[in-house]
Amino acid sequence: MRRSLALLAGGLLVGALAAPASAADGDQDFTIKDPRITESSGLAASRLHPGVYWTHNDSDDGAYLYAVDSATGRTVATVTMTGVGTPRDIEAISIGPDNQIYVGDIGDNDGVTWDYVWIYQLPEPKVLKDQTIRATQYVVKYSDGSRDAESLVVHPKTGRVYIIDKQEDGGHLYTGPAELSSSGTNVFRPAAAVDMWATDAAFSPDGQQLAVRGYFGGVSYAWNGGKLKRQGQLDVPLQGQGESVTYSRDGSKIMYGSEGAESGVEAEDAPSEGDSDSPSGSGSSASGNENGGGSDGNVRNGAIAVAVLFVAYLGLKGLRRRRPS
């Protein structure tokens, strides 16, 4: 019986240690290997193609989007956008309802201040191959004057488009019209303060959370109907020039990208709705669990603990039997 229990404990230990870190597609670290992508400035998890992420360069590249397979790091499709002018400084990409891709040409490269910026919208292709897709171009102005921005997000349920401006002492979430117009100017208005020098942002797939990142940190907000409620700090990895962020397709991870040749994309646990900055420690880390656990982590850690304790117990019994009387 003791031998059977020992074998069971050993099996639990080996199985727990060997358990995969994740079962979902596209939620692990990868490296972008395409030599054309040297300034990956935005990132969006594909809704139609599990494990694929859309990205783009931020300047001097043209109207191109790249679909990168996270399993290999290789580009599996290049989309050329037509129907738009020459991009100036593409800084963000987001996917909204009905698998519509939104691209934010909203930066101010070289310190140029633009009277207006552009947003491009196109359908995510059902087939991944090099192709040309006609996009809709929207003209955008801010109600309180021009500004630099690198973060554009589209609510996954309502389809409303938001921009976060980039300011060292914290910016604002700007709300666009309920529906963008391709025939007139779309005015974006400040709606909520953001405690971050924002380089990118992303909605969770259910639209309940908003992740905002900067170069050296990040903040998670409960969306709260657009009245942002701070949840806590994000576990943003240290990267060369952290410019992009997106949730994984299933929402379990937040993926952080960086500019540079062969730049890395790193996965961290997404915060839960109960995480916060409260002194009680209910959410001081991004996942609310310093061991990176979640439910799978708790099971794995529990199995390890049980196995180790049981093996120790058998060892103590053996020592007692060998102890001279």
Side-chain angles (χ1 to χ4, degrees):
M1 180 65 177
R2 281 195 300 269
R3 183 178 180 183
S4 297
L5 290 173
L7 288 173
L8 175 60
L12 280 171
L13 182 59
V14 171
L17 293 174
S22 173
D25 289 331
D27 61 357
Q28 299 192 32
D29 298 357
F30 66 95
T31 299
I32 297 173
K33 297 180 180 178
D34 190 331
R36 298 173 297 175
I37 305 173
T38 58
E39 295 182 303
S40 174
S41 191
L43 202 64
S46 170
R47 298 292 184 263
L48 294 178
H49 310 286
V52 168
Y53 288 84
W54 291 97
T55 189
H56 53 81
N57 287 312
D58 79 348
S59 61
D60 301 324
D61 184 40
Y64 303 120
L65 304 178
Y66 304 96
V68 179
D69 181 359
S70 63
T72 63
R74 302 189 182 281
T75 297
V76 291
T78 300
V79 169
T80 302
M81 293 183 289
T82 61
V84 303
T86 301
R88 295 185 294 211
D89 186 6
I90 296 178
E91 290 287 354
I93 186 169
S94 182
I95 299 181
D98 301 321
N99 304 313
Q100 294 291 306
I101 297 176
Y102 293 78
V103 181
D105 190 355
I106 56 177
D108 71 342
N109 253 357
D110 301 322
V112 176
T113 300
W114 307 107
D115 291 333
Y116 58 89
V117 292
W118 295 312
I119 294 173
Y120 313 129
Q121 179 186 349
L122 66 155
E124 181 177 10
K126 295 180 180 179
V127 177
L128 290 176
K129 64 178 182 178
D130 293 351
Q131 58 193 292
T132 297
I133 299 178
R134 186 171 186 83
T136 301
Q137 178 170 309
Y138 302 106
V139 176
V140 169
K141 288 189 176 182
Y142 301 97
S143 62
D144 52 358
S146 61
R147 56 201 55 251
D148 183 23
E150 297 187 2
S151 310
L152 176 146
V153 292
V154 182
H155 196 277
K157 304 301 182 183
T158 68
R160 197 154 194 165
V161 182
Y162 302 86
I163 294 174
I164 300 173
D165 63 342
K166 183 183 181 185
Q167 297 190 51
E168 287 188 54
D169 57 352
H172 285 81
L173 176 79
Y174 282 77
T175 304
E179 292 187 13
L180 297 180
S181 169
S182 60
S183 60
T185 299
N186 298 274
V187 179
F188 278 60
R189 305 179 187 280
V194 174
D195 304 324
M196 181 56 55
W197 188 18
T199 60
D200 202 9
F203 274 115
S204 59
D206 62 7
Q208 296 300 308
Q209 294 172 294
L210 177 68
V212 183
R213 78 158 298 173
Y215 293 119
F216 305 110
V219 178
S220 174
Y221 292 95
W223 179 240
N224 197 31
K227 299 177 181 179
L228 301 184
K229 182 178 180 182
R230 184 184 174 112
Q231 286 184 302
Q233 298 286 337
L234 293 172
D235 286 337
V236 178
L238 184 62
Q239 296 175 308
Q241 187 172 342
E243 290 272 351
S244 60
V245 67
T246 186
Y247 276 80
S248 60
R249 187 169 179 264
D250 67 359
S252 66
K253 300 286 184 179
I254 297 181
M255 313 295 290
Y256 298 94
S258 176
E259 288 194 1
E262 294 196 1
S263 58
V265 176
E266 300 184 44
E268 298 287 347
D269 288 339
S272 64
E273 292 185 26
D275 290 345
S276 70
D277 282 331
S278 65
S280 65
S282 61
S284 59
S285 69
S287 64
N289 185 328
E290 292 182 354
N291 293 322
S295 60
D296 292 339
N298 291 335
V299 171
R300 187 160 55 251
N301 293 339
I304 293 172
V306 169
V308 170
L309 288 172
F310 188 77
V311 170
Y313 168 73
L314 291 179
L316 287 173
K317 288 196 70 174
L319 285 174
R320 288 193 187 100
R321 285 199 305 272
R322 289 193 294 272
R323 185 178 298 164
S325 56

